[in-house]
Amino acid sequence: MQPAPPLREIHCFARVARHLSFSRAAADLGMSQPAMSQAIGRLEQSLGMRLFDRTSREVQLSAAGKALLPYARTLLDTAAAFSAEAARLAEPPRPIIRLAYAPLVGSLAARAARRLAQREPAIEVELRPAGWRAATQALTRGEVAVALLSAPFPTGFTTGARFGVRVGHLAVPAGDPLAALSQITPGLLGRYKVLLPANRPHGGMWARVAATLNGPHQHHVVADDIDDFAAMLDLVAAGTGLLPVPQLLATWIRRQDVRFVPFDGGDLRMTYGLAWSPERVSPEVMTLIHAVQETLWTR
């Protein structure tokens, strides 16, 4: 088997075939016209056939040249892909940080991830939506480096970048008389149940909501923790109960079967922040923490 022609000569062949001109092909590749003619001549000699029919006025592909041109292009594309992949493999791997986050503040997590992807050198953030319990377990096991979750923050972890999210609306079924009101006060909830989590730390938002109700008959425990407010709206639409929701949710979500009515329940706020293990701090983790802080300052 004869050795394959040099790739550079095949490149010259494809470029002359594109322009049907030795001079323009040579200019494209930064060569002189005689050097281009010599390269084509060597290729034709090694193949034992003419690739171009030349006259004093024009250059045309020969029948053999037309047949071989698709193979030349495929070969050049493959060579280019080979070089690109080799260059990618030669680069050091980008560091990856796994971030668990509460769905309500997913936009903040996404903005921080974009900020790190655009820096130099880039840091890849793998986002994992998770509730409070799942995020805490992932932190404990070392499956994620940082978690963006609501208070109370898990013990044994460092926390920072805290911020408050106001809870000023009640989600009610669209057909309920409450949906037509401009504001709901606790006194209007005598015959209604309010959806609450089982975990209501003292002093927290959920504990304050429960304190505004006159008895346990006025609330319905739906989970240990309420992390995904959007999913809870299905229970509201089904008539299971009303749901205190953050301003963010009332602004972003539109459903025909649920209405968001302002709620006069006092200064209700949920506190969110980052939590991470002090034993697993890395430069990349600190960069992520700073990115979240910067995102909070510029939102």
Side-chain angles (χ1 to χ4, degrees):
M1 179 179 295
Q2 293 182 346
L7 195 62
R8 181 167 178 78
E9 293 178 359
I10 296 176
H11 196 182
C12 290
F13 162 59
R15 195 57 59 97
V16 174
R18 175 192 296 181
H19 293 291
L20 295 178
S21 167
F22 280 73
S23 58
R24 288 199 297 270
D28 268 3
L29 298 181
M31 302 169 58
S32 66
Q33 182 172 340
M36 176 64 71
S37 298
Q38 291 169 10
I40 297 299
R42 288 193 300 269
L43 180 59
E44 290 178 328
Q45 184 175 3
S46 65
L47 296 175
M49 63 187 68
R50 294 187 64 82
L51 299 175
F52 297 98
D53 294 325
R54 309 167 179 82
T55 69
S56 59
R57 295 183 177 181
E58 63 179 5
V59 175
Q60 294 293 335
L61 280 165
S62 66
K66 292 178 181 178
L68 290 177
L69 182 58
Y71 295 96
R73 289 171 174 165
T74 300
L75 183 59
L76 293 171
D77 289 343
T78 302
F82 175 87
S83 298
E85 181 65 9
R88 186 189 69 80
L89 293 173
E91 294 179 355
R94 293 171 57 178
I96 299 177
I97 304 177
R98 294 179 177 86
L99 171 65
Y101 67 94
L104 180 66
V105 290
S107 63
L108 174 62
R111 287 175 62 194
R114 287 198 301 271
R115 185 183 291 267
L116 291 186
Q118 294 167 358
R119 72 186 296 273
E120 185 62 41
I123 296 177
E124 181 179 349
V125 179
E126 181 181 310
L127 297 178
R128 294 187 179 184
W132 190 95
R133 186 178 301 275
T136 301
Q137 290 175 347
L139 274 175
T140 303
R141 297 170 185 157
E143 297 171 355
V144 298
V146 187
L148 178 56
L149 71 175
S150 62
F153 300 106
T155 58
F157 294 93
T158 306
T159 60
R162 300 189 183 191
F163 60 96
V165 175
R166 186 172 182 273
V167 178
H169 289 74
L170 277 181
V172 304
D176 191 276
L178 291 177
L181 299 180
S182 59
Q183 187 180 62
I184 297 174
T185 61
L188 298 175
L189 302 179
R191 67 182 185 88
Y192 292 91
K193 289 186 177 181
V194 176
L195 307 180
L196 295 178
N199 295 329
R200 301 191 292 273
H202 179 71
M205 190 276 293
W206 292 114
R208 274 179 268 154
V209 170
T212 64
L213 308 177
N214 296 327
H217 62 283
Q218 285 186 291
H219 60 74
H220 178 65
V221 175
V222 291
D224 289 341
D225 302 284
I226 294 179
D227 297 288
D228 192 345
F229 284 85
M232 289 291 112
L233 295 181
D234 294 334
L235 299 182
V236 174
T240 305
L242 313 181
L243 179 68
V245 296
Q247 181 72 34
L248 290 172
L249 196 78
T251 302
W252 292 344
I253 291 185
R254 293 290 181 268
R255 292 182 55 152
Q256 294 183 348
D257 52 0
V258 173
R259 296 289 182 270
F260 300 108
V261 184
F263 177 52
D264 184 15
D267 186 21
L268 299 177
R269 292 179 180 273
M270 299 187 69
T271 300
Y272 286 85
L274 294 176
W276 66 92
S277 170
E279 301 174 354
R280 301 192 186 101
V281 175
S282 67
E284 291 76 23
V285 167
M286 295 308 301
T287 302
L288 170 62
I289 294 168
H290 293 153
V292 172
Q293 290 172 333
E294 292 170 356
T295 303
L296 286 171
W297 295 334
T298 57
R299 65 178 177 169

